[in-house]
Amino acid sequence: MKNRTLIYLVVLLLGGTLISCKEKEGEYHSISDKIEAESKPYHGNLTSDELLVDTELIKITEGENTFLIPERKSQIKSFACIECHSKPLSEMAGTDIQKAHWDIKLSHANGDAMNCATCHNGSNMNNLNSLTGKDIDFNLSYKICSQCHSNQFEDWKGGAHGKKVAGWAPPRASNTCVNCHNPHSPSFEKRWPVQFNTKTAIERNEGLDH
Ligand code: HEC
Ligand code: HEC
Ligand code: HEC
Ligand code: HEC
């Protein structure tokens, strides 16, 4: 008899606490239980896969780093080059009254250090060319850049220079050099911020007036 009362009491008490918990934080005991439970998916199984579905990516390995970069060839308007470049450049120059690539103006290093043939000079125009005359696939154009910009290349490999394609969660997919830098004119123009404060604007205008 005594035991039974005790059991009733315990059941009653438990029921009471359960109900009161439900009222306060839904099915959770406390706010920290709720945070713990609902943040679970973020531990371990967070991925950028969903954000990357629209980007065609290729896997590269450079030293100790293996990661993905965006595919380029499908983005290059005048690819495939061999549709027109069926013979060596020396035989092509001057063939057209209007320059075929009139919209490309080289503004990279200075004229003695660089011209078109620094990067496009092969027997097969569908590939880029290294300074020692080796073919480099257009999808791997960072190999062209790394010949001269080894510091940025080292930083990029490790993830310090550049930017991810989507999120920080794995798999690692990083923008490649030409996603940000136009190889023909790689530096960014200096510009004012889109918004700047009025005081600075006034000072600038005054500066111009005097
Ligand atoms: C629609 C035809 C066409 C396509 C496609 C084309 N080219 Fe050309 N390209 C020409 C012609 C014609 C010339 C020679 C006349 C001239 O100098 O513009 C030329 C010249 C060049 C030159 C030498 C320019 C100079 O000033 O010495 C380079 C470098 C070049 N092309 C690279 C490429 C690359 C790289 C591709 C592919 C990504 C490509 N071309 C695709 C027609 C084409
Ligand atoms: C520093 C190396 C470099 C030099 C110098 C260079 N190119 Fe390029 N060029 C590239 C790379 C890399 C690409 C591919 C860019 C990409 O993936 O979008 C490219 C792309 C092109 C394309 C295809 C562009 C398009 O959108 O259709 C043409 C045409 C071309 N280059 C012509 C030239 C000509 C002409 C010159 C000289 C005036 C020149 N390039 C100088 C590296 C270079
Ligand atoms: C043959 C050597 C060579 C190659 C290949 C080359 N560059 Fe350059 N680049 C230079 C030189 C030289 C300068 C001008 C001097 C400097 O500022 O470092 C320069 C300047 C730059 C600048 C501007 C630096 C500034 O201070 O404004 C950027 C950005 C750049 N290159 C990116 C690239 C990218 C991206 C590629 C590959 C598509 C590439 N370079 C390929 C030699 C090269
Ligand atoms: C996500 C975009 C992005 C990618 C990818 C990227 N860069 Fe840059 N890079 C920048 C920006 C932004 C700057 C700073 C420009 C400035 O200060 O005017 C810069 C600066 C540079 C400079 C000038 C020197 C300096 O540090 O200020 C060089 C050279 C350069 N990048 C080369 C490369 C090469 C080579 C690669 C590929 C291995 C690459 N970048 C990839 C955005 C990028």
Side-chain angles (χ1 to χ4, degrees), residues 142 145 149 152-153 156 161-163 175-177 180-181 188:
Y142 67 85
C145 318
H149 300 290
Q152 284 77 18
F153 174 62
W156 175 75
H161 188 102
K163 188 176 172 288
N175 280 299
T176 187
C177 315
C180 301
H181 299 286
F188 295 98

Side-chain angles (χ1 to χ4, degrees), residues 2 4 27 29 49 75 78 92 98 100 113 168 184 203:
K2 226 182 178 187
R4 208 178 269 175
E27 54 213 277
H29 233 292
D49 278 331
Q75 308 294 316
S78 47
M92 276 191 89
Q98 193 182 16
W168 281 99
H184 307 130
E203 279 166 9

Side-chain angles (χ1 to χ4, degrees), residues 2-13:
K2 226 182 178 187
N3 271 349
R4 208 178 269 175
T5 336
L6 209 80
I7 288 166
Y8 281 144
L9 228 119
V10 168
V11 167
L12 220 91
L13 266 166

Side-chain angles (χ1 to χ4, degrees), residues 5-209:
T5 336
L6 209 80
I7 288 166
Y8 281 144
L9 228 119
V10 168
V11 167
L12 220 91
L13 266 166
L14 265 174
T17 28
L18 276 179
I19 287 164
S20 70
C21 280
K22 260 214 150 95
E23 273 168 6
K24 260 190 239 150
E25 294 299 338
E27 54 213 277
Y28 304 111
H29 233 292
S30 65
I31 188 77
S32 23
D33 284 356
K34 185 178 178 178
I35 291 168
E36 167 110 351
E38 293 195 354
S39 57
K40 278 230 167 81
Y42 292 96
H43 299 298
N45 22 356
L46 187 66
T47 116
S48 293
D49 278 331
E50 220 173 286
L51 302 167
L52 292 169
V53 286
D54 293 331
T55 319
E56 201 186 317
L57 298 159
I58 50 173
K59 189 187 253 178
I60 61 160
T61 297
E62 286 296 334
E64 292 177 351
N65 302 282
T66 296
F67 54 100
L68 303 161
I69 58 171
E71 181 274 346
R72 288 301 302 170
K73 286 182 197 169
S74 65
Q75 308 294 316
I76 300 174
K77 271 182 295 166
S78 47
F79 201 82
C81 316
I82 56 163
E83 279 171 24
C84 299
H85 288 277
S86 49
K87 48 187 179 181
L89 270 182
S90 54
E91 290 171 34
M92 276 191 89
T95 51
D96 273 37
I97 308 146
Q98 193 182 16
K99 276 212 158 242
H101 308 297
W102 56 273
D103 54 338
I104 295 177
K105 293 206 171 52
L106 212 53
S107 167
H108 188 166
N110 61 40
D112 323 328
M114 190 143 356
N115 58 48
C116 311
T118 310
C119 307
H120 309 281
N121 191 27
S123 46
N124 178 358
M125 198 55 119
N126 268 356
N127 287 305
L128 292 159
N129 278 267
S130 77
L131 297 172
T132 55
K134 291 204 186 79
D135 280 357
I136 293 176
D137 193 285
F138 269 93
N139 281 338
L140 307 178
S141 56
Y142 67 85
K143 287 181 194 260
I144 281 280
C145 318
S146 65
Q147 300 176 105
C148 305
H149 300 290
S150 53
N151 289 347
Q152 284 77 18
F153 174 62
E154 287 301 319
D155 288 349
W156 175 75
K157 265 196 312 190
H161 188 102
K163 188 176 172 288
K164 295 283 171 64
V165 174
W168 281 99
R172 177 183 168 191
S174 291
N175 280 299
T176 187
C177 315
V178 292
N179 286 125
C180 301
H181 299 286
N182 177 342
H184 307 130
S185 177
S187 63
F188 295 98
E189 302 245 326
K190 297 222 168 15
R191 60 182 190 191
W192 299 117
V194 177
Q195 283 184 314
F196 46 84
N197 72 45
T198 333
K199 184 168 174 280
T200 324
I202 292 165
E203 279 166 9
R204 272 184 204 141
N205 287 335
E206 279 172 355
L208 287 174
D209 288 341

